[in-house]
């Protein structure tokens, strides 16, 4: 099973430092990443998603990368697009509601990512939870986490395939 981990911070500097630590934890095999991003919500509530540094250079399984991209969209685009989402994207997000990434989880993420806050979003295909948390405790931050079951991942991959 994979873990979707969001760690929100009051400032971008701590989020960036935690983002870099997550990459070091992958080097030390504490976590295997399917994707990692730095998310910032500016003072006007506009969302900025980045993958600074070497994460963009790392090779990840294509399926994991596609699932991570879809999950990012479900978490961060859906609340902002609302009914304006149509067709293919709307069908994909409707499919995601049948997974553990439900509206309640998205609401908890939105609650910790108020304007002016930043977060690290990690999609971990394998993680040693205790070591991961211990390493990131020094940065503080509010953690919101959910588990994606293999069925969830297959459902997301299926939705992606069906919508092509």
């Amino acid at each position: 099973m994979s873990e979707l981990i969001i760690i929100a911070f009051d400032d971008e500097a701590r989020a960036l430092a935690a983002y870099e630590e997550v990459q070091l934890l992958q080097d030390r095999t504490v976590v295997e990443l399917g994707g990692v991003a730095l998310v910032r919500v500016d003072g006007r509530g506009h969302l900025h998603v980045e993958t600074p540094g070497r994460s963009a250079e790392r090779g990840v399984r294509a399926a994991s990368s596609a699932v991570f991209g879809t999950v990012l969209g479900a978490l961060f685009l859906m609340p902002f697009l609302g009914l304006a989402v149509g067709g293919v994207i709307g069908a994909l997000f409707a499919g995601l509601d049948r997974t553990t990434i439900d509206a309640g989880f998205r609401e908890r993420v939105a609650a910790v990512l108020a304007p002016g806050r930043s977060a690290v979003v990690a999609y971990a295909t394998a993680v040693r939870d205790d070591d991961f948390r211990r390493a990131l405790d020094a940065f503080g931050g509010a953690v919101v986490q959910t588990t994606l079951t293999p069925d969830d991942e297959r459902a997301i991959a299926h939705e992606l395939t069906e919508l092509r």
Side-chain angles (χ1 to χ4, degrees), residues 2 22 49 68 77 132-133 144:
S2 298
V22 168
V49 179
F68 179 62
L77 294 180
F132 186 82
R133 285 196 185 261
V144 180

Side-chain angles (χ1 to χ4, degrees), residues 19-33:
Y19 176 89
E20 291 169 353
E21 181 67 17
V22 168
Q23 292 181 76
L24 292 173
L25 292 172
Q26 178 168 292
D27 292 344
R28 295 193 307 245
T29 66
V30 171
V31 63
E32 182 178 313
L33 296 171

Side-chain angles (χ1 to χ4, degrees), residues 42 111 115 143 151 153:
D42 67 24
V143 178
D151 287 342
E153 292 177 342

Side-chain angles (χ1 to χ4, degrees), residues 16-163:
L16 183 57
Y19 176 89
E20 291 169 353
E21 181 67 17
V22 168
Q23 292 181 76
L24 292 173
L25 292 172
Q26 178 168 292
D27 292 344
R28 295 193 307 245
T29 66
V30 171
V31 63
E32 182 178 313
L33 296 171
V36 62
L38 183 62
V39 175
R40 181 177 55 85
V41 182
D42 67 24
R44 292 183 293 200
H46 295 126
L47 187 73
H48 305 272
V49 179
E50 308 171 34
T51 54
R54 60 197 175 107
S55 69
E57 301 164 9
R58 291 179 117 28
V60 295
R61 293 188 341 238
S64 292
S65 182
V67 168
F68 179 62
T70 302
V71 167
L72 276 177
L75 283 174
F76 300 113
L77 294 180
M78 188 64 167
F80 300 104
L81 294 179
L83 296 176
V85 175
V88 171
I89 295 172
L92 177 59
F93 290 151
L96 288 173
D97 280 338
R98 293 188 292 272
T99 69
T100 56
I101 306 171
D102 60 12
F105 180 76
R106 287 194 295 259
E107 288 170 9
R108 289 191 306 275
V109 171
V112 298
L113 268 179
R117 299 198 80 198
S118 296
V120 175
V121 179
Y123 174 64
T125 55
V127 62
R128 293 191 329 237
D129 280 324
D130 291 341
D131 294 338
F132 186 82
R133 285 196 185 261
R134 202 171 15 259
L136 292 173
D137 277 348
F139 300 96
V143 178
V144 180
Q145 183 171 347
T146 192
T147 300
L148 293 175
T149 67
D151 287 342
D152 292 336
E153 292 177 342
R154 280 191 291 280
I156 294 169
H158 176 73
E159 294 289 336
L160 286 170
T161 302
E162 289 293 310
L163 296 172

